[in-house]
Amino acid sequence: MSQWVSGKITEVNWWTPTLFTIKVAADVAPFQAGQFTKLAMTIGDKRIARAYSYVNAPKDPVLEFYLTEVEGGKLTSGLAELEVGSSIDVESKANGFLTIEEAPQRQALYMISSGTGVGPFLSILADGKVWEKFEKVTLIHSVRYNTDLTYQDFIHAYEKLFKQFTYLPLVTREAPLKGLKGRVTELISNNKIAEHLGMSELHKDSHFMICGNPDMVKETSVLLQTLGYNKHRRTEPGHISVEQYW
């Protein structure tokens, strides 16, 4: 049975008219970077809960969540109205296996995300274990418009701090200010991502962590398998780990 704790909103930051971040003070159980929990509110006469990844590193005392306001969304309509001082319930125990602890030892790590699915990867970057485990770390973030590329100051700081880290934004509906235009599956298939990273092909000794839109997660996973990469399991180390809690 889920154990819930009461949290207080300490900060709300709107990046765009639909993308926003909330910070919450709540006494939750220890978690690993990359995991998710649930947020819950009572809206009308119904209690509604949804899963969201932690954006903050486990050592940070304030919890952070990256959200999108979905038109007609049962919970996001309520979340979008939260203000500093508002209350929200947080499930104490985290879940999920999209963590560095669960990833196999390989040369390169590709963290592939779309939309707010970048959240768990920001937590992983901030946590620090990734820098010790992988020689090369690439964060790929796919969005519709350039303005949807958020957390840029945070990401650029890590680009400066760690030479093994590369950030590659993908924009699908307009010319990108940085990175490439197109869907991630298209850009893997035509080798544009590898070429942009200065390679003839993606590293064979790689691990891929994928989080975001369910269709993107599924299609990218299937594509990578056709290229010779296998799903990762505890009993059978592979190359692909996914998170899908929609």
Side-chain angles (χ1 to χ4, degrees):
M1 183 177 294
S2 298
Q3 296 293 321
W4 296 87
V5 296
S6 179
K8 289 288 185 182
I9 304 297
T10 63
E11 185 178 329
V12 180
N13 176 37
W14 282 87
W15 303 94
T16 73
T18 58
L19 295 170
F20 64 108
T21 293
I22 60 172
K23 293 186 177 182
V24 185
D27 186 18
V28 297
F31 65 93
Q32 294 177 338
Q35 289 190 307
F36 63 90
T37 186
K38 289 183 180 179
L39 303 179
M41 296 178 65
T42 299
I43 300 176
D45 59 352
K46 293 185 178 180
R47 179 178 170 81
I48 303 173
R50 293 289 186 272
Y52 295 98
S53 292
Y54 286 109
V55 174
N56 58 291
K59 63 180 179 290
D60 294 338
V62 178
L63 313 179
E64 186 169 348
F65 302 95
Y66 183 33
L67 315 171
T68 182
E69 182 179 11
V70 179
E71 185 175 356
K74 293 181 179 180
L75 181 58
T76 56
S77 59
L79 293 172
E81 296 177 359
L82 291 172
E83 299 177 346
V84 173
S86 299
S87 296
I88 188 169
D89 290 335
V90 184
E91 187 174 15
S92 176
K93 183 181 178 181
N95 293 282
F97 299 97
L98 199 70
T99 67
I100 295 303
E101 289 83 353
E102 292 287 340
Q105 186 73 53
R106 298 200 180 278
Q107 180 187 11
L109 173 68
Y110 296 94
M111 299 182 289
I112 302 175
S113 62
S114 64
T116 56
V118 74
F121 299 139
L122 301 179
S123 179
I124 287 172
L125 294 179
D127 184 45
K129 295 184 181 71
V130 66
W131 312 116
E132 301 172 2
K133 191 163 186 175
F134 297 95
E135 295 178 21
K136 294 184 179 296
V137 177
T138 302
L139 172 62
I140 298 173
H141 187 197
S142 176
V143 298
R144 295 178 178 180
Y145 302 101
N146 289 289
T147 52
D148 297 330
L149 293 169
T150 54
Y151 286 94
Q152 294 298 286
D153 289 345
F154 173 94
I155 293 170
H156 294 329
Y158 280 89
E159 282 186 299
K160 294 178 181 178
L161 284 171
F162 298 96
K163 292 183 179 180
Q164 74 214 75
F165 176 53
T166 301
Y167 169 57
L168 176 55
L170 309 179
V171 181
T172 62
R173 295 195 179 181
E174 63 181 355
L177 298 178
K178 178 182 178 180
L180 298 171
K181 181 178 181 181
R183 299 172 66 243
V184 63
T185 47
E186 168 196 355
L187 297 170
I188 291 175
S189 295
N190 62 20
N191 217 37
K192 293 297 184 182
I193 286 179
E195 291 174 359
H196 186 83
L197 297 174
M199 302 180 294
S200 59
E201 60 181 11
L202 298 178
H203 293 91
K204 292 301 181 185
D205 187 25
S206 296
H207 191 68
F208 300 86
M209 302 171 77
I210 313 172
C211 184
N213 176 280
D215 290 336
M216 184 280 290
V217 172
K218 180 179 179 180
E219 291 170 10
T220 304
S221 178
V222 170
L223 172 61
L224 290 171
Q225 289 176 74
T226 67
L227 296 177
Y229 301 101
N230 302 315
K231 286 188 176 181
H232 175 63
R233 298 177 177 85
R234 282 181 171 178
T235 56
E236 188 178 348
H239 309 85
I240 306 167
S241 300
V242 305
E243 193 70 271
Q244 195 167 325
Y245 44 69
W246 268 258

